[in-house]
Amino acid sequence: MSIDVDTARKVAKLARIRVAEADLPLLARELSGILGFMEQLNEVDVSGVEPMTSVTPMRLKRRVDEVTDGNQQAAVLKNAPDAREGFFAVPKVVE
Amino acid sequence: MLDLTHTPPKPKVIAGARHDWELVIGMEIHAQVSSKAKLFSGASTGFGAEPNSNVAFVDAAMPGMLPVINEYCVEQAVRSGLGLKARINLVSAFDRKNYFYPDLPQGYQISQLYHPIVGEGEVLVEMGPGIARHVRIERIHLEQDAGKSIHDMDPNLSFVDFNRTGVALMEIVSRPDIRGPEEAAAYVTKLRQILRYLGTCDGNMQNGNLRADVNVSVCRPGQYEKYQETQDFSHLGTRCEIKNMNSMRFIQAAIDYEARRQIAILEDGGSILQETRLYDPDKGETRSMRSKEEAHDYRYFPDPDLLPLEIEQAWVDGIAATMPELPDAKKARFMGDFGLTDYDANVLTAELEAAAFFEAVAAGRDGKQTANWVINELFGRLNKEGRAIAESPVTADQLGGVLDLIGSGEISGKMAKDLFDILWTEGGNPAEVAAARGMKQVTDAGAIEAAVDAIIAANPDQVEKAKANPKLAGWFVGQVIKATGGKANPAAVNALVAAKLGL
């Protein structure tokens, strides 16, 4: 699979990463290279093999329904560029 | 499914300028799981807390924090699935749905796109006695709710609260089997009723604990039947999705507006653009949510932080063994055991608490009479005073006591209503209150006969008239009841008056 300049531009936008127009051709080539490298995996015949989701057989860990966390408004807001009256304050987003 | 007891309702038809159109509607209901803690963190789900106080670092998406699933939420999804007669998937998995929005700190929502926990089920939506739509459920999956943005606190800023971020939602997806605005509202009502019976979602729409996305398209009559035969969507029109409604009234108004908007475009020679729209209740119209369109490429992929969710059949069976009686079964039983009408059975089974109250009163008594009293007197009074059944001042025992006094002939229906009123405002034991207030109808034939004789002797003119026209005998009955201070048993008086006048 090869990534063209338009796809690279779209992926950058969806990921909210600013990429200068002049840098897009190089980025597209590099992404294509990465995907091409990984496509070698397609040469392995995995028909009839269940996808492996864990190296060791493990059951998804569960928690019980108890309130054990929270009440740390100051800590949650500590790294916010702007916080007011207990809220995160962000540039206006209105539908 | 073949249903011999119900006929399907007629689809809503809207007459366009050129010809008739029908509606096709599918719904996605987001029902908040009735858990204490969130889906993947130990923060509280409590409503109305200080902003950003019910937030764990997992919910705020701090680097390195890992989600751990709340098993109770999984159980509630399974229970809901069983309540909708749905297939339970013993293996399901979580995926990331990627998009950027200020109320989504992770930059993705953990959801279940490829392997939902619940598969196909069904809901029976009744639209009248013997008329019902079978709405097919496509799936139920577990996912995280987003946070809440507030836009009116500052002219240039939006304020974001993560208290709701990460709360467990069940997204219940229907097939496009709903054929009009009223059916859509009835479907949501029925789903809400089932979830409340199951206790898996409190159904509080005002707090946003039950919200609906509605997919609406229009087609020419006959096209929908072709779709149902083939399950080929190309027979249907292009749909638009109206997002996030939390009122039955808005759902109906939005569908009606959206259908008419689409019809106008099509009849004008245009075509419908598949898009996401918002309903504006102030203007009564839907409008495009362009920002959502740009971000519609969600780049789903399996969440590497979570192993597949494997549950055991024995665990599912254990949940199935604790299922309560569901609305359809309860309604059928009320009609069968107590001889209730379809309407009365619907009213009495709408809420679990009301049904339990009715059953407590009806045990060993006349079902129809109990239904009349519960619906007319009790519900009437509760509605008038804006109280819930749990806050009823008159208990099931007290109402039962009133009905027993009527049944034994000790008090009349009129006296019973007065007695009910006294119990409502002052409380007390029905039999004792009735005795203390001298509420006792006279059934003693001798006393009633004396009163009848006196009235007849005093009114010879009326006697002549009544003999010519038997309908006038009612006048004597009224006079006798008045003369006995309202205590004479009307049935006994009727019989005696008729006998004395020789009618």
Side-chain angles (χ1 to χ4, degrees):
Chain A
M1 185 183 170
S2 121
I3 301 284
D4 60 18
V5 170
D6 285 342
T7 307
R9 187 187 298 114
K10 187 182 170 200
V11 170
K13 186 174 183 216
L14 286 171
R16 297 295 191 277
I17 296 172
R18 187 191 315 229
V19 179
E21 192 66 27
D23 296 337
L24 284 173
L26 175 64
L27 182 67
R29 264 201 313 281
E30 286 179 354
L31 288 174
S32 294
I34 293 167
L35 289 179
F37 179 72
M38 290 198 290
E39 264 168 16
Q40 292 179 53
L41 291 171
N42 288 341
E43 293 166 17
V44 184
D45 181 8
V46 292
S47 52
V49 181
E50 283 284 305
M52 187 177 78
T53 51
S54 176
V55 180
T56 52
M58 262 180 72
R59 185 171 184 265
L60 177 66
K61 192 171 157 50
R62 276 95 155 143
R63 67 163 71 239
V64 294
D65 185 32
E66 276 170 13
V67 176
T68 56
D69 210 336
N71 285 319
Q72 46 175 354
Q73 189 195 58
V76 165
L77 295 172
K78 195 173 174 189
N79 294 310
D82 191 359
R84 305 180 190 193
E85 298 177 56
F87 294 93
F88 289 89
V90 301
K92 194 125 190 149
V93 273
V94 176
E95 284 297 344
Chain B
M1 189 165 99
L2 189 63
D3 181 351
L4 300 174
T5 52
H6 297 97
T7 52
K10 291 219 160 43
K12 166 132 179 162
V13 175
I14 294 181
R18 305 223 293 217
H19 42 66
D20 285 351
W21 297 87
E22 287 182 4
L23 280 65
V24 180
I25 300 160
M27 296 185 94
E28 294 163 18
I29 305 292
H30 293 88
Q32 180 177 324
V33 176
S34 60
S35 62
K36 295 198 276 284
K38 295 183 180 182
L39 181 55
F40 294 114
S41 88
S44 167
T45 59
F47 182 81
E50 271 284 294
N52 293 304
S53 61
N54 292 341
V55 181
F57 289 140
V58 182
D59 310 316
M62 293 295 173
M65 302 308 295
L66 290 172
V68 179
I69 198 164
N70 182 334
E71 187 163 39
Y72 177 86
C73 296
V74 179
E75 182 184 335
Q76 302 322 305
V78 170
R79 191 179 297 279
S80 299
L82 293 172
L84 303 181
K85 301 179 212 112
R87 189 165 47 86
I88 305 300
N89 295 323
L90 297 181
V91 179
S92 63
F94 291 94
D95 304 295
R96 292 185 179 179
K97 177 181 182 178
N98 300 279
Y99 65 96
F100 282 100
Y101 207 73
D103 63 15
L104 188 77
Q106 287 169 157
Y108 57 85
Q109 176 194 35
I110 304 179
S111 183
Q112 296 189 299
L113 177 69
Y114 300 111
H115 303 286
I117 185 159
V118 177
E120 291 178 325
E122 189 186 70
V123 178
L124 182 75
V125 181
E126 287 179 272
M127 301 300 297
I131 301 170
R133 180 80 67 197
H134 289 267
V135 176
R136 292 169 300 161
I137 301 296
E138 184 182 322
R139 58 192 279 157
I140 304 177
H141 59 257
L142 277 169
E143 64 181 26
Q144 299 175 299
D145 204 348
K148 187 174 158 55
S149 305
I150 299 165
H151 305 296
D152 57 6
M153 285 176 69
D154 187 285
N156 304 311
L157 298 171
S158 289
F159 283 40
V160 186
D161 174 11
F162 290 160
N163 280 351
R164 221 176 56 193
T165 304
V167 167
L169 301 178
M170 296 177 281
E171 178 168 330
I172 304 165
V173 183
S174 87
R175 300 270 184 204
D177 291 351
I178 301 162
R179 307 301 315 283
E182 297 79 15
E183 278 184 43
Y187 167 73
V188 178
T189 303
K190 183 62 178 285
L191 207 52
R192 178 176 179 276
Q193 183 192 24
I194 293 171
L195 298 178
R196 281 171 58 81
Y197 266 58
L198 293 167
T200 57
C201 168
D202 74 10
N204 186 329
M205 296 184 77
Q206 221 161 7
N207 290 357
N209 296 355
L210 194 83
R211 316 191 287 271
D213 297 345
V214 188
N215 286 288
V216 181
S217 67
V218 296
C219 66
R220 298 286 303 277
Q223 290 299 107
Y224 184 79
E225 288 69 20
K226 287 185 192 160
Y227 155 71
Q228 279 293 10
E229 273 164 35
T230 58
Q231 294 298 307
D232 177 356
F233 287 105
S234 69
H235 293 293
L236 302 179
T238 303
R239 68 184 190 301
C240 288
E241 182 179 20
I242 314 165
K243 280 274 184 204
N244 222 13
M245 287 179 286
N246 65 344
S247 132
M248 303 288 182
R249 201 161 52 85
F250 293 166
I251 289 170
Q252 295 186 65
I255 292 171
D256 197 66
Y257 175 88
E258 180 58 20
R260 289 172 198 278
R261 185 188 73 86
Q262 293 181 14
I263 291 168
I265 292 172
L266 292 169
E267 294 206 330
D268 218 29
S271 57
I272 306 299
L273 185 69
Q274 184 172 339
E275 61 178 355
T276 308
R277 300 179 68 84
L278 261 189
Y279 179 67
D280 181 337
D282 295 328
K283 292 185 181 152
E285 60 186 38
T286 63
R287 60 187 151 82
S288 182
M289 274 174 91
R290 288 197 179 80
S291 61
K292 275 270 192 233
E293 294 315 304
E294 277 182 18
H296 235 63
D297 189 342
Y298 290 128
R299 295 151 293 144
Y300 278 98
F301 65 89
D303 191 319
D305 287 343
L306 291 158
L307 288 164
L309 174 58
E310 294 179 89
I311 54 177
E312 294 73 38
Q313 186 60 47
W315 187 66
V316 175
D317 293 343
I319 298 170
T322 61
M323 292 288 281
E325 182 182 39
L326 290 171
D328 290 340
K330 196 180 283 291
K331 181 187 165 186
R333 186 167 61 80
F334 278 14
M335 291 175 74
D337 289 4
F338 299 111
L340 301 190
T341 61
D342 188 275
Y343 176 85
D344 285 355
N346 271 335
V347 174
L348 290 169
T349 55
E351 296 283 342
L352 207 49
E353 296 81 3
F357 191 103
F358 165 76
E359 270 199 273
V361 181
R365 301 194 177 91
D366 180 70
K368 280 182 189 171
Q369 187 192 27
T370 305
N372 286 339
W373 271 83
V374 170
I375 293 171
N376 298 324
E377 302 307 319
L378 181 76
F379 288 0
R381 189 78 181 251
L382 289 171
N383 282 341
K384 210 168 106 189
E385 300 187 6
R387 294 196 205 210
I389 185 112
E391 304 159 344
S392 169
V394 173
T395 65
D397 272 353
Q398 284 174 309
L399 181 55
V402 173
L403 298 185
D404 288 344
L405 293 172
I406 302 174
S408 65
E410 286 173 69
I411 62 174
S412 65
K414 168 76 178 67
M415 287 172 183
K417 286 182 186 179
D418 295 340
L419 177 57
F420 180 82
D421 188 62
I422 293 167
L423 295 174
W424 185 278
T425 48
E426 298 168 29
N429 175 296
E432 287 167 13
V433 172
R437 306 278 174 129
M439 291 177 162
K440 188 162 177 52
Q441 68 179 351
V442 180
T443 41
D444 170 11
I448 296 173
E449 194 170 358
V452 172
D453 285 343
I455 301 286
I456 286 176
N459 298 283
D461 294 353
Q462 291 288 341
V463 174
E464 288 311 310
K465 284 184 193 165
K467 281 184 173 162
N469 181 2
K471 281 183 187 163
L472 296 177
W475 181 84
F476 286 93
V477 176
Q479 290 298 311
V480 172
I481 290 175
K482 202 170 154 191
T484 56
K487 291 179 182 175
N489 181 334
V493 177
N494 256 326
L496 267 170
V497 166
K500 294 274 178 188
L501 294 176
L503 299 177

